[in-house]
Amino acid sequence: DFLFFWGAVFLITTTLVALLKKENRELTPTKEETKGITDTYRLLFSIIKMPAVLTFCLLILTAKVGFSAADAVTGLKLVEEGVPKEHLALLAVPMVPLQIILPLIISKYTAGPQPLNTFYKAMPFRLLLGLEFAFLVWWTPKVRHEGGFPVYYYVVVLLSYALHQITLYSMYVAIMAFNAKVSDPLIGGTYMTLLNTVSNLGGNWPSTVALWLVDPLTVKECAGAKDHTCGTTIAAEV
């Protein structure tokens, strides 16, 4: 019902914008170098061939490999260990004010001449939090009891998520600040879109690979069934 309602609102508002909003044809031409789709993609290709841009793209495409598994799999593993999905969803509510405040605070440190310094400083802490998440998954079944999980367990999870958000937003805001700083003002929108797209891809592909590798890398034991490894989904079902 929630998704249906907001899906309907989205369709109605975008349709109204398409029908009622008119372009202002009397605007003075801008200094942007691009005039159409072909020009834009030709420009993007010329940008991405630049040595500095290639090096930077390589950096942000591989920078998140180290914590992709912790980011993508921790929540799923906690649910697998018996933590109710509703409780984990509720823990996201206190994160909202933090997510609003963090960019305001972090932007003060990324406004200088070297915004990526914040990115570099946050990375070791985010890697350490990956280890902490692994410990959290290991610890979860040990504190579980018949009534569920104790309050202190949820406090630890909440604090872990809060610390994770601080490192995540430090890296995110730093990358955005750097992209804004290096983008050529004449083609700012095109330049920033390219860098932000590569940045988003750098976060998505390692998470996808991590999720895909969960089953092959998970060690399973079959109780009461000799010569069965349960290594594959079919074997586990048998």
Side-chain angles (χ1 to χ4, degrees), residues 8-38:
V9 170
F10 181 84
L11 286 171
I12 292 166
T13 51
T14 49
T15 304
L16 288 172
V17 169
L19 295 175
L20 303 177
K21 182 77 178 98
K22 302 298 179 187
E23 293 289 345
N24 188 354
R25 304 273 178 197
E26 297 178 4
L27 286 174
T28 54
T30 61
K31 293 182 180 179
E32 286 199 7
E33 294 179 13
T34 54
K35 294 178 182 178
I37 294 173
T38 309

Side-chain angles (χ1 to χ4, degrees), residues 215 220 222 225 228-238:
D215 271 349
K220 299 176 184 175
C222 293
H228 263 290
T229 60
C230 293
T232 64
T233 306
I234 297 168
E237 286 175 1
V238 171

Side-chain angles (χ1 to χ4, degrees), residues 79-99:
V79 171
E80 192 179 282
E81 295 293 350
V83 181
K85 283 180 281 189
E86 316 85 75
H87 292 179
L88 283 179
L90 280 173
L91 290 178
V93 176
M95 294 295 110
V96 174
L98 188 66
Q99 290 166 350

Side-chain angles (χ1 to χ4, degrees), residues 1-210:
D1 289 346
F2 177 83
L3 290 173
F4 179 81
F5 173 78
W6 287 111
V9 170
F10 181 84
L11 286 171
I12 292 166
T13 51
T14 49
T15 304
L16 288 172
V17 169
L19 295 175
L20 303 177
K21 182 77 178 98
K22 302 298 179 187
E23 293 289 345
N24 188 354
R25 304 273 178 197
E26 297 178 4
L27 286 174
T28 54
T30 61
K31 293 182 180 179
E32 286 199 7
E33 294 179 13
T34 54
K35 294 178 182 178
I37 294 173
T38 309
D39 286 342
T40 303
Y41 279 99
R42 195 180 289 120
L43 184 62
L44 285 172
F45 187 67
S46 65
I47 292 169
I48 209 161
K49 284 195 298 183
M50 293 162 64
V53 175
L54 272 175
T55 304
F56 179 62
C57 286
L58 185 65
L59 167 74
I60 55 179
L61 277 172
T62 54
K64 297 176 183 176
V65 171
F67 31 76
S68 57
D71 288 5
V73 183
T74 301
L76 299 173
K77 283 293 176 185
L78 292 179
V79 171
E80 192 179 282
E81 295 293 350
V83 181
K85 283 180 281 189
E86 316 85 75
H87 292 179
L88 283 179
L90 280 173
L91 290 178
V93 176
M95 294 295 110
V96 174
L98 188 66
Q99 290 166 350
I100 295 169
I101 294 165
L102 278 174
L104 298 173
I105 298 170
I106 296 163
S107 61
K108 294 177 183 177
Y109 300 96
T110 57
Q114 295 179 314
L116 279 185
N117 281 352
T118 306
F119 182 93
Y120 296 138
K121 287 174 184 175
M123 184 174 277
F125 295 101
R126 195 166 171 188
L127 287 167
L128 286 171
L129 278 169
L131 292 174
E132 198 268 339
F133 277 177
F135 170 78
L136 194 63
V137 171
W138 171 82
W139 183 56
T140 298
K142 301 186 183 304
V143 295
R144 186 181 181 183
H145 52 73
E146 289 182 7
F149 293 88
V151 174
Y152 68 82
Y153 170 79
Y154 288 109
V155 172
V156 171
V157 173
L158 186 65
L159 288 173
S160 301
Y161 276 17
L163 289 171
H164 178 258
Q165 289 293 312
I166 292 169
T167 57
L168 187 151
Y169 271 83
S170 295
M171 295 179 72
Y172 175 77
V173 174
I175 282 285
M176 288 295 167
F178 180 79
N179 291 348
K181 193 172 184 65
V182 300
S183 297
D184 186 342
L186 288 177
I187 46 167
T190 307
Y191 213 125
M192 275 202 73
T193 300
L194 172 67
L195 295 178
N196 290 342
T197 300
V198 175
S199 179
N200 290 334
L201 184 62
N204 289 336
W205 81 260
S207 296
T208 304
V209 172

